[in-house]
Amino acid sequence: MRQDKAAVKAALTMPWSSGQAEAQVNKLKLIKRQMYGRASFDLLCRRVLLPA
């Protein structure tokens, strides 16, 4: 953490967060895990992009 002191300080003091982006990544990972070995990339794309 000492090497990234500036990044840690910025993360604690900046007024915005990456929570929304992290939530989307988490959702995508969940869908990929559920579909692992069961479907093609096309179905994965449809399942991720159509609800948006």
Side-chain angles (χ1 to χ4, degrees), residues 11-29:
L12 295 174
T13 58
M14 294 294 174
W16 61 84
S17 106
S18 62
Q20 183 63 32
E22 292 294 331
Q24 295 300 323
V25 168
N26 212 13
K27 179 181 172 186
L28 179 59
K29 285 182 179 182

Side-chain angles (χ1 to χ4, degrees), residues 27-49:
K27 179 181 172 186
L28 179 59
K29 285 182 179 182
L30 173 68
I31 292 171
K32 284 175 65 177
R33 277 197 295 288
Q34 289 175 338
M35 296 178 64
Y36 182 78
R38 293 187 180 98
S40 66
F41 183 71
D42 294 331
L43 182 59
L44 176 63
C45 286
R46 276 188 255 138
R47 188 161 177 206
V48 171
L49 297 177

